[in-house]
Amino acid sequence: MRILVVGAGATGGYFGGRLARAGRDVTFLVRAGRAQLLERRGLRITGLDEETVLRPRVIRAGDIDAPYDVVLLAVKATGLERAVDDMAAAVGPHSLVVPVLNGVRHVDVLAARFGDQAVLGGVSKVATTLDAQGDIVRPCRTCATELAATPPRRGWTRCTACSAVPGSRQACPATSTRRCGPSGFSSPLSAR
């Protein structure tokens, strides 16, 4: 089964990386800058006692030469229309598109372009972020729990478990993670 992951950011990179690590036939459709970074440094997933570096297969929109069996769409909602155009050559009559985006508008956009039969529902709950180097960072378990339970707002404080600061590369004493990224913030309410 050939899998195309559209977007190698915090969500697409994480799920695509997991599929590639499990031995699946995965290719990432990315823009030029991300392609260069992945070719130079690899796809890196860190945090929660993990330091994974993969050398994924990457392509750009003009390089798609045949349909894929599954297209995992994981881009920001603001990039949806461009991503749909970029991935169009990868969607054939038997392809399945699995979107993992915020909101629900994308389902109508995808169904209008590729047909209802090609679009599956997708929901994910994963706490990941990209750090300044482009690595996919999984925050400590407490950070992830507080992040999921507390809506983001200005004035966030440090993580209550590891005291991480934005982009810090310090070890998290709560879970021995190598890094706790910007997602490692908790709100003042959850710190009580």
Side-chain angles (χ1 to χ4, degrees), residues 146-163:
E146 291 178 359
L147 179 66
T150 309
R153 58 184 62 131
R154 294 175 56 101
W156 276 29
T157 60
R158 298 171 186 242
C159 169
T160 57
C162 68
S163 299

Side-chain angles (χ1 to χ4, degrees), residues 93-126:
H94 303 289
S95 299
L96 295 175
V97 179
V98 181
V100 184
L101 285 81
N102 288 333
V104 294
R105 183 183 75 84
H106 59 275
V107 175
D108 291 336
V109 171
L110 293 168
R113 180 73 178 263
F114 303 115
D116 286 332
Q117 75 287 349
V119 182
L120 300 176
V123 176
S124 97
K125 182 177 179 183
V126 61

Side-chain angles (χ1 to χ4, degrees), residues 9-49:
T11 302
Y14 178 77
F15 287 119
R18 289 291 184 244
L19 289 165
R21 189 172 178 200
R24 303 297 184 253
D25 182 1
V26 177
T27 302
F28 288 90
L29 175 62
V30 294
R31 304 213 192 291
R34 186 71 172 151
Q36 290 172 352
L37 182 69
L38 293 175
E39 289 165 358
R40 188 175 72 250
R41 297 191 70 237
L43 179 73
R44 296 170 179 262
I45 302 172
T46 65
L48 295 179
D49 296 325

